Amino acid sequence: MQAPKNGFFYVIDRIDGRVISAEPITDVTWASRIDLETGRPVEAANARYRNGPFVGRPGTAGAHNWHPMAFSPQTGLVYLTVRESQTIFSADPDYAQRPRGVFNTGNRRQTSFGAVDLLAWDPVHQREAWRAPMGGGGVLATAGGLVFQGRGQVTGEFVAYRADTGEQVWAHDTPNGILAGAVTYSIDGVQYIAVTTGAGGGGMTGGTDARERQPGRVIAFRLDGDATLPPEPGPAPPPNPSAERWSGAQIARGEQVYAETCARCHGMAAASSNVIPDLRRSMSLTDSAFWDAIVMDGMLTPNGMVGFRERISEADSHALRGYISSRAQTLQREIARGGQGANQRASAGAMGEQ
Ligand code: HEC
């Protein structure tokens, strides 16, 4: 049983790979149905946007992404996160091959998102059993008749539902949002449920955070567990714009390179959940040699931040710093007005979607 990104829930014969059934779990516009003889979709007219823009549902982020699904033999139901989204596709008339590592899809895309739910799906009848709003990441079903799921963007919550009705029966706050699926195991007759917390890259998942950088951690639960979590982190360092000046063209160039090369990890419009650092607050913004040691020469490679010298020019590195510095200025103004710097979760344009 598999719910890929394309919006259909497939039941496939494990012996010969034959598609037994496939039905939509969300609004699907790109295909009318799956042909059970061939296993292929019956595509909608203009789904390949050859005759103008096409509104594709689900959008490119998918109705269901990588987050683990769960099956309970007790209820016969499959549990999974389902997300409403749409992407407007059109051909890019200015398309030219771009460097390796950048989206080369030859189209323009504009994506918007709707509700995210935890869906309980009856795979035999291919229909919804129940649905709980505010769905999160991966799902675990246990023999105790429960379904566990983590959620949240900056801070999070680990939640238990009744597997048969979807009624929420328990929740526990976690210091980070949760995307991963949980696991369960027992030691000397005591059952544990463990989950990795941390919503990762700011690009698709993070809200903004005004906390100090807060890496995720594995949290394990048991009945009557009495461990406590470390104290909440302090406030994030303030925005750190540079006093240097950049031209409007340089800042625009920096914005483009940022969207193509940095946004997926450091967050859209340079606003990050600060698990991967929020660059508007980086000490390196005011020190070009320090900046280039990180961004070009890979000083932090062992920590997951490679150098980009093969991919971007010195001028682009300078333009990037100018763009992020201008974003830091904006954040500074927002904070002075009493805000915390809202994340500009505009639809993903040049950045693309996973
Ligand atoms: C694949 C994910 C990824 C991409 C893409 C990426 N970074 Fe990073 N970056 C990281 C991680 C992870 C760190 C934190 C490293 C550490 O813990 O020291 C980091 C740290 C940094 C820092 C240091 C911040 C600080 O003050 O602590 C700078 C500056 C930076 N990145 C700039 C960039 C720029 C500019 C780009 C685009 C050209 C970029 N990064 C692309 C993952 C990424």
Side-chain angles (χ1 to χ4, degrees):
M1 295 182 283
Q2 167 72 347
K5 288 170 74 177
N6 74 12
F8 289 94
F9 187 98
Y10 291 76
V11 179
I12 295 170
D13 190 320
R14 72 157 82 187
I15 306 233
D16 58 13
R18 192 173 54 84
V19 178
I20 295 168
S21 62
E23 293 295 330
I25 54 170
T26 186
D27 190 16
V28 176
T29 59
W30 69 276
S32 57
R33 61 186 175 86
I34 304 295
D35 181 333
L36 297 183
E37 287 302 309
T38 62
R40 303 290 302 160
V42 179
E43 286 183 24
N46 201 34
R48 293 175 190 257
Y49 49 94
R50 290 204 169 104
N51 305 312
F54 180 76
V55 180
R57 287 195 218 111
T60 50
H64 169 251
N65 211 296
W66 58 267
H67 316 95
M69 318 193 300
F71 174 69
S72 167
Q74 288 171 349
T75 60
L77 300 177
V78 174
Y79 305 91
L80 71 158
T81 294
V82 62
R83 178 200 272 277
E84 282 172 8
S85 66
Q86 70 171 32
T87 300
I88 305 171
F89 295 91
S90 58
D92 180 358
D94 303 325
Y95 174 72
Q97 170 86 43
R98 296 187 291 173
R100 202 160 60 95
V102 175
F103 276 86
N104 269 294
T105 45
N107 58 23
R108 291 187 177 157
R109 301 179 302 281
Q110 204 183 10
T111 297
S112 45
F113 297 103
V116 185
D117 292 330
L118 171 60
L119 176 67
W121 190 256
D122 173 346
V124 174
H125 301 101
Q126 286 278 13
R127 66 178 179 223
E128 180 175 325
W130 53 259
R131 177 185 289 259
M134 296 264 298
V139 183
L140 168 74
T142 68
L146 296 173
V147 170
F148 289 89
Q149 188 189 37
R151 61 194 185 197
Q153 291 194 328
V154 174
T155 58
E157 215 184 3
F158 193 53
V159 184
Y161 302 88
R162 281 182 63 132
D164 53 355
T165 62
E167 182 198 342
Q168 182 177 319
V169 290
W170 175 83
H172 195 287
D173 288 342
T174 57
N176 294 83
I178 304 175
L179 287 177
V183 294
T184 184
Y185 53 93
S186 77
I187 297 174
D188 296 335
V190 178
Q191 185 179 13
Y192 293 81
I193 294 190
V195 66
T196 302
T197 70
M204 297 309 294
T205 56
T208 44
D209 196 354
R211 299 182 303 176
E212 225 165 39
R213 201 173 158 199
Q214 172 77 324
R217 48 169 63 76
V218 175
I219 299 182
F221 296 90
R222 52 173 281 184
L223 287 180
D224 304 324
D226 58 4
T228 49
L229 289 161
E232 272 293 296
N240 185 36
S242 165
E244 291 164 69
R245 298 192 71 88
W246 283 265
S247 71
Q250 279 175 315
I251 289 175
R253 172 68 188 163
E255 180 173 13
Q256 186 191 348
V257 177
Y258 181 87
E260 286 175 2
T261 316
C262 321
R264 208 160 304 131
C265 293
H266 285 284
M268 293 172 68
S272 157
S273 55
N274 216 20
V275 173
I276 292 182
D278 184 320
L279 296 180
R280 300 170 302 177
R281 305 172 188 271
S282 173
M283 277 169 54
S284 65
L285 262 188
T286 47
D287 182 337
S288 65
F290 185 25
W291 174 267
D292 276 342
I294 299 170
V295 175
M296 299 300 269
D297 299 328
M299 191 178 97
L300 299 177
T301 297
N303 301 344
M305 169 64 200
V306 299
F308 284 83
R309 194 171 283 288
E310 277 176 28
R311 287 283 313 281
I312 62 180
S313 66
E314 300 253 340
D316 281 348
S317 174
H318 183 65
L320 273 169
R321 199 162 57 83
Y323 163 65
I324 295 162
S325 194
S326 79
R327 299 286 308 142
Q329 262 172 357
T330 307
L331 178 60
Q332 214 168 34
R333 282 197 299 270
E334 282 171 7
I335 290 173
R337 283 202 306 265
Q340 295 207 325
N343 192 355
Q344 301 207 336
R345 287 177 65 80
S347 63
M351 191 195 102
E353 305 83 19
Q354 334 298 323

